[in-house]
Amino acid sequence: MDAWVRFSAQSQARERLCRAAQYACSLLGHALQRHGASPELQKQIRQLEGHLSLGRKLLRLGNSADALESAKRAVHLSDVVLRFCITVSHLNRALYFACDNVLWAGKSGLAPRVDQEKWAQRSFRYYLFSLIMNLSRDAYEIRLLMEQESSACSRRLKGSGGGVPGGIETGGLGGPGTPGGGLPQLALKLRLQVLLLARVLRGHPPLLLDVVRNACDLFIPLDKLGLWRCGPGIVGLCGLVSSILSILTLIYPWLRLKP
């Protein structure tokens, strides 16, 4: 298993480049179709996209072992929520890669009797569950950071003698007896939460990149499973953006969200 993990780590950058090229072809094919390009050119782009997809599946052989090793490490995290989200995400990724390996065997001719449609649906379901866990983990970390930032701001205000502005936390802006006081108070709270969220994400680039990457990836299984039809243009664009962000985390490891 260790040998497979080392092989997977070495081929990760090449797989990300193939992924970016594959979704760029998907986006280009959609643009060519909309602008009335020749059928021959569209066919060539689709063939190139198919070859890149098959090549990616070859590069991902053994990634299930890598995902299982990551799940084993995540089991020892002290935070219960992070432990659950990350472990379940890695387990779903392991199953996703296993289904992907079966698809590769079918498309390459090694297992011609494989029901590719059935295995593709299974693969995208596991992929979707993994992304849901990733986004849940991102939301949890954002909530923790927002609470820390809010507490730090409150301490700074009290230290400077300013107190808590407007009684935002205690409902000082328009109590129950003030006509129409609830809506302005709610709008102010919402605005402050949005500003706090923007400040947290701006101060934590790895978390921001992870949120954007997972959100972009989410459109892919939703479209493939028929849960939300986005079209090849949106899928290609989202896949290309998430691939570029993934490549950035390989070039600059400090941008990778930990643990």
Side-chain angles (χ1 to χ4, degrees):
M1 182 175 285
D2 291 337
W4 277 113
V5 171
R6 285 194 297 270
F7 167 79
S8 174
Q10 292 171 358
S11 63
Q12 191 177 39
R14 293 189 292 273
E15 192 273 333
R16 300 287 173 85
L17 289 173
C18 284
R19 186 179 193 267
Q22 176 191 343
Y23 284 109
C25 287
S26 177
L27 183 60
L28 177 60
H30 176 71
L32 290 174
Q33 184 180 11
R34 285 178 58 89
H35 289 83
S38 65
E40 183 63 28
L41 180 58
Q42 295 183 40
K43 181 180 178 182
Q44 290 177 356
I45 295 296
R46 286 195 299 269
Q47 288 177 344
L48 178 58
E49 182 183 353
H51 293 323
L52 289 169
S53 176
L54 190 61
R56 283 183 58 216
K57 287 177 170 52
L58 176 61
L59 291 173
R60 287 203 297 253
L61 289 176
N63 276 16
S64 291
D66 188 19
L68 288 175
E69 286 295 321
S70 299
K72 286 169 60 179
R73 292 192 296 269
V75 169
H76 302 289
L77 293 174
S78 58
D79 191 295
V80 177
V81 177
L82 288 180
R83 181 167 68 238
F84 174 77
C85 291
I86 297 176
T87 302
V88 174
S89 173
H90 284 310
L91 290 176
N92 276 282
R93 283 181 65 245
L95 293 170
Y96 161 67
F97 287 132
C99 294
D100 204 57
N101 294 340
V102 175
L103 281 171
W104 173 81
K107 291 185 176 182
S108 63
L110 295 177
R113 296 184 178 180
V114 168
D115 187 341
Q116 295 189 22
E117 181 63 26
K118 180 180 72 174
W119 282 97
Q121 291 292 304
R122 289 177 178 174
S123 172
F124 284 117
R125 277 197 293 269
Y126 290 128
Y127 186 32
L128 178 60
F129 293 151
S130 176
L131 290 173
I132 291 173
M133 287 295 102
N134 289 341
L135 288 170
S136 300
R137 176 257 183 102
D138 292 337
Y140 175 71
E141 295 212 19
I142 288 173
R143 186 179 70 84
L144 291 181
L145 291 171
M146 288 179 66
E147 289 177 352
Q148 293 173 9
E149 185 68 23
S150 180
S151 299
C153 288
S154 297
R155 287 195 297 270
R156 286 196 296 268
L157 286 171
K158 291 178 180 178
S160 62
V164 181
I168 294 172
E169 298 299 328
T170 60
L173 289 178
T178 304
L183 188 58
Q185 180 184 8
L186 181 62
L188 179 58
K189 284 185 177 180
L190 181 60
R191 180 170 177 270
L192 290 175
Q193 288 297 311
V194 171
L195 291 175
L196 185 59
L197 174 62
R199 183 171 181 174
V200 165
L201 292 178
R202 186 171 63 248
H204 298 81
L207 181 57
L208 174 60
L209 259 66
D210 198 67
V211 170
V212 175
R213 182 170 58 87
N214 288 322
C216 288
D217 281 338
L218 192 64
F219 289 95
I220 300 172
L222 288 176
D223 180 79
K224 299 299 183 182
L225 293 171
L227 300 176
W228 187 11
R229 292 296 184 184
C230 310
I234 298 297
V235 170
L237 178 61
C238 290
L240 180 59
V241 170
S242 67
S243 299
I244 293 173
L245 294 179
S246 296
I247 292 171
L248 284 177
T249 60
L250 292 177
I251 298 175
Y252 304 105
W254 66 272
L255 287 174
R256 184 177 301 175
L257 187 62
K258 297 179 179 64

